[in-house]
Amino acid sequence: HHINVLVRRENGTTATPKLLAFHDLGTYRVFCEVVFFEEGGGVRNSDIITAFVNMCQNPAFGVPQFLYADNGAEYGFADYLGDALKLGSKVIPFNGADERNRIIRAKPYNAAAKHVEGWFRQMNQQYFRHIKGWIDDDRMNPKRPALGKLPAAWDAGFEALCATIYGHMTAY
């Protein structure tokens, strides 16, 4: 998901970083990683895999029992995780549930059905809006400090932006 903050790249152009998040519906905790591309492009399969592996290695999260994934091409790796997700189960009683698919796909074009989308909206509207460079969701009518001028972009560096974002995550 886009973080609606303009960030100045080293070459002087601006872009918005992306937030890769895994939302645990049992605890409502969120594991996330921020990615920012120095060149144009979008989130790749390898970015999602790296974030997923980092989440699984985090002692506060571990391997989930089930994964509710989007249908985008960058989530194609999830089709190969069925056996790995069995590692997230503590006890599996024999009642036929073991045969249940552990990868659950979202309905196409139904963002409202994904819990993480509401979480993204909340983070953008209540937390990230306080970061320098905030432009809001509506790209055609961004929040502007002065008529016809974009807000000043974040220019303190990507590591400082990550620290700020993770600070807001801690507050959440």
Side-chain angles (χ1 to χ4, degrees):
H1 198 274
H2 291 280
I3 297 176
N4 296 325
V5 175
L6 281 178
V7 177
R8 188 165 316 284
R9 293 180 176 134
E10 289 182 12
N11 65 7
T13 62
T14 59
T16 56
K18 312 304 182 262
L19 187 68
L20 307 177
F22 295 94
H23 190 196
D24 184 342
L25 294 179
T27 63
Y28 279 90
R29 289 180 302 156
V30 176
F31 178 86
C32 72
E33 289 195 359
V34 181
V35 293
F36 186 62
F37 304 105
E38 287 299 327
E39 301 292 326
V43 175
R44 301 165 306 212
N45 202 351
S46 61
D47 297 323
I48 302 289
I49 291 170
T50 301
F52 181 78
V53 168
N54 291 343
M55 179 199 62
C56 291
Q57 292 176 342
N58 186 311
F61 289 89
V63 179
Q65 290 182 12
F66 297 95
L67 182 64
Y68 185 70
D70 202 341
N71 291 299
E74 62 272 16
Y75 295 96
F77 79 97
D79 294 334
Y80 304 102
L81 291 178
D83 289 336
L85 295 184
K86 290 179 184 177
L87 297 173
S89 298
K90 304 296 184 250
V91 176
I92 302 174
F94 183 74
N95 60 6
D98 189 36
E99 298 302 316
R100 180 177 174 198
N101 189 1
R102 293 180 180 272
I103 308 299
I104 303 160
R105 292 287 181 177
K107 289 183 180 179
Y109 308 106
N110 189 10
K114 294 181 274 191
H115 291 279
V116 75
E117 296 295 337
W119 178 84
F120 280 132
R121 185 183 67 249
Q122 178 184 12
M123 290 306 293
N124 269 323
Q125 294 298 320
Q126 296 178 11
Y127 292 86
F128 298 155
R129 73 177 314 115
H130 302 290
I131 299 174
K132 177 184 173 185
W134 169 255
I135 57 173
D136 207 0
D137 282 330
D138 186 354
R139 298 288 192 264
M140 304 314 290
N141 186 20
K143 302 293 183 205
R144 298 174 186 263
L147 187 61
K149 295 184 180 179
L150 286 173
W154 177 274
D155 54 5
F158 180 66
E159 289 77 20
L161 176 66
C162 288
T164 300
I165 289 170
Y166 293 137
H168 285 288
M169 289 290 303
T170 302
Y172 165 80

